[in-house]
Amino acid sequence: MQMPPDKPQWWHGILSKSLLLKIALPIIIIISWEVLSILIDNPFILPSIESVLLVLSKPFADILGSGSLIGNAMISLGRVLIGFFVAAVLAIPLGIGMARNEKLHDFFDSTVQVFRPIPPLAWVPLALAWFRIGLVSMVFIIAIGAFFPILLNTLDGMKSIKKTWIEAAHTLGAKERQILANVVLPGAAPTIWTGLRVGFGIAWMCVVAAEMMPGTNSGIGYLIITSYNWGQVQVIIAGIIVIGVIGLGIDYLFKVVEKKKFMWRELDR
Amino acid sequence: MTLIVENISKEFEQRGVRSAALVSINLDVKEKEFTCVLGPSGCGKTTLLRIIAGLEKATTGRVMIGGELVTGPSSRMAMIFQDYSLFPWRTVIDNIAFGLEMKGVGEEERLDVAAHYLDLIGLNGFGENFPYELSGGMRQRVAVARALAIDPSVLLMDEPFGALDAQTRNMLQKQLLEIWDKTKKTVLFVTHSVDEAVFMADRIVVLTSRPGTVKEVVTIDLPRPRDRTSQDFAKVRRYVLGLIDEQQSTQ
């Protein structure tokens, strides 16, 4: 007699061991949070989950006259995009140039190495002194944060280009300019993309910190620091969650493109 | 188109010490001829091929193709590398069409041409695949098609089957001979395998070990398709092996 084959149940995927393992810690954190908030019983230190969820449930409602969660998050996102764009426009061509021209490399490399380890936030006072409070200061700090990962990954990507790709292109009749567009750029693109992804992550961290600079009057970082001044800890936590979710979402978008467009890097041997 | 190599020498400089890799190589490759350059590793045979391809400069001497001096990569010659060097971000068909695309040939026409060569290498139906989805042997066939698509007179092949297993290697040798027969290209084929050279070549140029010089040019008169197990084949192979052993024992 033959046994009927095991039918896969719909819940098999959801309750697979690895998924259980993945959601275990978040569940522990949430339960401990709720328990602790009841034990501490002080919303100025640890508000309850419900109060945070209440704030999150009204993402478009004005908070303390400072604008909504989503509104401020979009303002922050806009700033990040500008700073990130500035960084990418400077770092990618510079990286390509440095990789292709030894003199250019020697000219810039020492300076890059000196500036690279400086945390972007160390530039805050200088940014304030030079550009005052405002968009320019923030864009400056964000751009510095995003610049180095993009530059270093561009250099790495250029190094990963096989010499024989370029030679093959040469023997197939490609001119220098065509090789740049059809071999060098597509060859380095996956690594440059990684640089953009890392750069964006850092830019996103920088904007929140930059918005906590005194005198700022909008953005998710501003909302958080204002909520602190008013003792609204549940808004602080809600803001942190929004920052995390947006950061995760954008990272996911970067990864989707990476998987779709640059799969060859993983699979090419 | 005849390929003439005149008095090519190549010296490298390492830490201020000059060392010769190739010493006065002379070589005539006749049109539609299949010539193998055979030599031990490090004899400079790849360097010689790269000089002919215009990828490296010789210290002295010159390379002429169809009466013209070679000064850089030329569309009359296409090179096939040991590591295939396909563009992994392009599909097979777009790899084959690469040279035509660079020439500015319109999309429809170049895809037509590429499809023809895809058929020639027996990979119909793989046009939309990416190189990483193919085996090593299939990839090298794509590299051959990519080189043929620009319709060069001369195919330069740098140990193209060196990274493949013995079975795939034998199969590709046969396929390459078929393609050579159909397209009537001049082939200059670098290898360190005596067996491969005797199986493929009209003539074998045997190089000495470093610095490489031409030891002897052996004409192979065996009719094709050649039988590796035949006595005549064994005789020729023994002779060529003898040339290589001889120079190794005199070192």
Side-chain angles (χ1 to χ4, degrees):
Chain A
M1 211 186 121
Q2 265 196 325
M3 298 288 284
D6 278 344
K7 270 195 194 147
Q9 299 287 336
W10 63 269
W11 41 263
H12 270 191
I14 298 176
L15 281 188
S16 67
K17 275 182 188 160
S18 87
L19 187 81
L20 267 179
L21 211 57
K22 280 175 188 169
I23 59 172
L25 188 57
I27 290 174
I28 292 170
I29 290 174
I30 287 169
I31 292 172
S32 330
W33 172 8
E34 192 64 4
V35 170
L36 277 174
S37 74
I38 292 166
L39 290 177
I40 293 172
D41 193 24
N42 183 344
F44 296 110
I45 295 172
L46 190 63
S48 68
I49 290 178
E50 304 90 85
S51 65
V52 173
L53 287 178
L54 189 69
V55 177
L56 286 172
S57 70
K58 290 182 273 182
F60 295 102
D62 183 80
I63 297 167
L64 306 164
S66 305
S68 68
L69 270 177
I70 295 292
N72 279 303
M74 288 304 125
I75 291 171
S76 302
L77 198 58
R79 289 170 179 153
V80 165
L81 285 175
I82 298 171
F84 173 72
F85 184 74
V86 169
V89 163
L90 293 175
I92 295 175
L94 179 65
I96 292 171
M98 283 172 73
R100 283 174 73 83
N101 184 323
E102 210 175 323
K103 281 181 186 151
L104 211 61
H105 180 270
D106 291 348
F107 182 74
F108 281 106
D109 188 55
S110 49
T111 313
V112 166
Q113 297 306 335
V114 169
F115 280 86
R116 191 169 63 94
I118 302 171
L121 296 185
W123 292 92
V124 165
L126 265 187
L128 289 177
W130 290 345
F131 309 116
R132 315 263 168 103
I133 296 293
L135 184 64
V136 180
S137 296
M138 285 188 255
V139 166
F140 175 78
I141 289 161
I142 294 160
I144 284 188
F147 179 83
F148 290 101
I150 300 177
L151 176 68
L152 296 182
N153 277 286
T154 303
L155 283 168
D156 255 12
M158 296 290 290
K159 257 187 235 156
S160 74
I161 291 170
K162 279 192 203 159
K163 207 174 119 207
T164 52
W165 289 345
I166 291 177
E167 290 181 343
H170 262 304
T171 61
L172 293 166
K175 308 270 173 295
E176 277 303 322
R177 191 176 277 259
Q178 291 178 312
I179 288 178
L180 183 65
N182 293 290
V183 180
V184 171
L185 284 182
T191 320
I192 295 177
W193 191 255
T194 303
L196 290 174
R197 194 179 128 210
V198 175
F200 199 95
I202 293 182
W204 187 235
M205 295 177 195
C206 288
V207 73
V208 173
E211 284 168 349
M212 292 183 178
M213 288 192 290
T216 315
N217 57 17
S218 62
I220 194 85
Y222 162 76
L223 185 67
I224 289 176
I225 206 77
T226 305
S227 307
Y228 167 74
N229 291 334
W230 291 88
Q232 302 292 306
V233 181
Q234 76 278 16
V235 180
I236 296 179
I237 295 177
I240 288 174
I241 291 173
V242 168
I243 292 169
V245 168
I246 292 178
L248 200 68
I250 289 170
D251 197 63
Y252 176 74
L253 289 182
F254 270 103
K255 274 188 188 161
V256 167
V257 174
E258 194 172 306
K259 229 180 175 168
K260 239 181 146 163
K261 291 265 176 199
F262 304 134
M263 207 162 64
W264 62 263
R265 180 174 58 172
E266 301 302 320
L267 299 171
D268 194 60
R269 283 153 285 145
Chain B
M1 221 173 281
T2 40
L3 177 69
I4 299 169
V5 175
E6 275 180 9
N7 197 31
I8 290 283
S9 298
K10 176 79 178 176
E11 287 180 358
F12 288 106
E13 201 175 303
Q14 264 184 332
R15 288 180 232 108
V17 182
R18 296 184 77 80
S19 69
L22 294 167
V23 177
S24 47
I25 305 273
N26 287 288
L27 204 61
D28 272 17
V29 182
K30 291 181 200 74
E31 200 165 340
K32 293 170 188 169
E33 191 182 45
F34 199 119
T35 305
C36 277
V37 175
L38 177 69
S41 336
C43 74
K45 54 191 189 299
T46 292
T47 308
L48 175 63
L49 201 70
R50 292 172 55 83
I51 289 170
I52 294 170
L55 292 171
E56 264 180 57
K57 294 254 176 291
T59 312
T60 64
R62 58 180 190 169
V63 178
M64 309 279 288
I65 177 154
E68 273 178 44
L69 190 68
V70 173
T71 52
S74 144
S75 60
R76 292 172 171 185
M77 294 184 280
M79 178 119 165
I80 289 155
F81 300 84
Q82 184 177 0
D83 69 352
Y84 328 130
S85 70
L86 296 175
F87 305 122
W89 55 89
R90 284 180 169 243
T91 59
V92 164
I93 198 87
D94 283 340
N95 261 287
I96 299 176
F98 182 87
L100 296 172
E101 191 180 329
M102 296 303 109
K103 263 193 206 161
V105 176
E107 187 171 358
E108 207 176 321
E109 192 189 337
R110 67 172 188 254
L111 290 183
D112 270 358
V113 176
H116 165 73
Y117 285 104
L118 191 64
D119 187 48
L120 184 73
I121 57 167
L123 284 182
N124 256 330
F126 286 94
E128 296 309 314
N129 286 82
F130 283 89
Y132 55 76
E133 296 170 307
L134 308 183
S135 68
M138 288 158 98
R139 288 187 214 186
Q140 194 56 292
R141 275 144 76 189
V142 175
V144 169
R146 184 178 66 174
L148 289 171
I150 61 166
D151 197 23
S153 321
V154 180
L155 276 187
L156 304 172
M157 309 185 78
D158 183 16
E159 302 202 40
F161 308 145
L164 303 172
D165 61 83
Q167 260 179 319
T168 313
R169 202 179 162 118
N170 286 355
M171 195 183 74
L172 284 195
Q173 287 167 354
K174 277 186 201 135
Q175 278 180 343
L176 178 63
L177 286 176
E178 281 165 24
I179 290 170
W180 170 69
D181 196 43
K182 278 186 207 160
T183 57
K184 284 296 167 200
K185 301 286 178 195
T186 309
V187 178
L188 191 60
F189 188 108
V190 162
T191 180
H192 63 257
S193 157
V194 173
D195 183 79
E196 185 166 68
V198 175
F199 185 74
M200 313 277 288
D202 293 321
R203 286 196 307 158
I204 302 177
V205 178
V206 182
L207 295 189
T208 61
S209 52
R210 192 175 175 120
T213 54
V214 177
K215 165 131 186 143
E216 190 171 324
V217 179
V218 183
T219 305
I220 314 286
D221 283 329
L222 300 171
R224 292 193 177 90
R226 291 176 185 159
D227 178 3
R228 282 193 159 86
T229 57
S230 76
Q231 282 201 344
D232 289 342
F233 191 92
K235 223 163 92 186
V236 179
R237 184 168 50 191
R238 204 174 305 129
Y239 177 73
V240 177
L241 263 174
L243 289 175
I244 288 186
D245 283 348
E246 202 175 296
Q247 58 154 338
Q248 269 169 354
S249 57
T250 54
Q251 277 185 351

